[in-house]
Amino acid sequence: MMCLYCQTGNSSEGVCSFCGAPLNERRPERKNFVYLEQDEQPFSQLKYFHTYDLLVLLRFV
């Protein structure tokens, strides 16, 4: 299985042997648009945002 963080091939199914990231966890994807109102969402929703989108939201705030 290929790790989506570091692109390393792994023979195990649980965690990446190189970076330790979980291989079965949902990965965030970049959104086309990010709005200022999205910064008021709870952490349980923001944790599914891509890092780039979170940085854009931080810049808005």
Side-chain angles (χ1 to χ4, degrees), residues 4-56:
L4 297 176
Y5 283 120
C6 66
Q7 299 300 317
T8 305
N10 290 286
S11 60
S12 67
E13 292 295 324
V15 295
C16 176
S17 59
F18 181 74
C19 69
L23 297 174
N24 299 332
E25 195 170 303
R26 182 178 137 198
R27 306 287 187 229
E29 295 181 11
R30 280 188 62 196
K31 301 179 183 326
N32 290 332
F33 297 99
V34 180
Y35 304 101
L36 181 59
E37 292 79 22
Q38 290 175 318
D39 68 339
E40 298 176 6
Q41 293 184 2
F43 176 75
S44 60
Q45 295 297 317
L46 289 174
K47 71 180 181 181
Y48 295 116
F49 278 47
H50 191 273
T51 304
Y52 182 80
D53 295 329
L54 291 172
L55 290 172
V56 170

